[in-house]
Amino acid sequence: MIKYRSILIAVLAVVMVMLLSFGSVAEAKRVTKPLSYTSEQIEQIQDYASQLSAIRERMPELADLIQKQDWVFVRNFIHGPLGELRSKMMFVTQSLLGEDQKQARSAAKSVFDNLVAIDQAAQGRDYKLAIRNYAETLRDFDNFIALLPKG
């Protein structure tokens, strides 16, 4: 009888350990994402948003260079003043919540793809391709900025 009691206690202990370990795994999977931004996050995002807005205000310079078909300076502008655009957009994207993050990532990718297309058009001296991608860049850039939370 004592032998059965020892075995029963050991089996119950194993069952309890298993229940507790499976319970904590299920609880760990239920991590919820925040539904709103903290004031620190908004402040940080707004700081980068102001930097992105400053870059956006310089975009007409690129249009002027494309209009003049000054291909060397078009490429210099893309790699110079617009060079930090990717890192700033990616940082902001990582700070956004859920669906906004997905949309921002898509818009940022479109901006980069369009800038690469402008660069290639400048290399090939293709005015029509450059100006079309410039318009798409502005549209995608504006869409990205619209996704950012307002203070």
Side-chain angles (χ1 to χ4, degrees):
M1 182 77 166
I2 293 177
K3 213 178 213 184
Y4 292 115
R5 211 179 278 172
S6 300
I7 293 173
L8 183 61
I9 290 172
V11 170
L12 285 175
V14 169
V15 169
M16 289 297 289
V17 167
M18 290 177 58
L19 286 175
L20 290 175
S21 66
F22 289 134
S24 62
V25 169
E27 189 65 34
K29 288 183 181 178
R30 275 192 261 158
V31 174
T32 58
K33 294 183 180 179
L35 299 176
S36 64
Y37 297 100
T38 64
S39 59
E40 292 85 19
Q41 285 176 316
I42 289 179
E43 184 179 323
Q44 202 171 35
I45 290 170
Q46 288 304 312
D47 181 46
Y48 274 94
S50 65
Q51 293 175 26
L52 290 172
S53 294
I55 292 172
R56 172 61 177 89
E57 291 173 6
R58 292 198 63 190
M59 291 299 284
E61 294 176 42
L62 181 59
D64 290 340
L65 293 171
I66 293 171
Q67 288 291 335
K68 293 176 186 173
Q69 297 185 23
D70 192 347
W71 303 120
V72 171
F73 283 108
V74 166
R75 297 189 75 207
N76 288 344
F77 190 83
I78 290 170
H79 296 281
L82 300 181
E84 293 182 6
L85 183 61
R86 172 172 255 162
S87 63
K88 290 178 182 178
M89 290 178 87
M90 285 297 113
F91 180 79
V92 171
T93 299
Q94 292 171 356
S95 300
L96 297 176
L97 299 177
E99 191 61 35
D100 288 343
Q101 191 177 73
K102 291 176 187 174
Q103 292 173 348
R105 190 173 290 122
S106 175
K109 183 179 181 331
S110 295
V111 169
F112 306 140
D113 290 346
N114 292 329
L115 287 174
V116 167
I118 293 170
D119 189 46
Q120 290 173 344
Q123 192 171 8
R125 302 179 180 273
D126 187 344
Y127 173 79
K128 288 181 181 180
L129 183 62
I131 203 70
R132 182 176 6 148
N133 280 291
Y134 172 77
E136 291 175 12
T137 301
L138 289 182
R139 183 194 69 225
D140 294 332
F141 201 173
D142 290 339
N143 289 342
F144 181 87
I145 291 174
L147 293 169
L148 304 181
K150 308 295 183 251

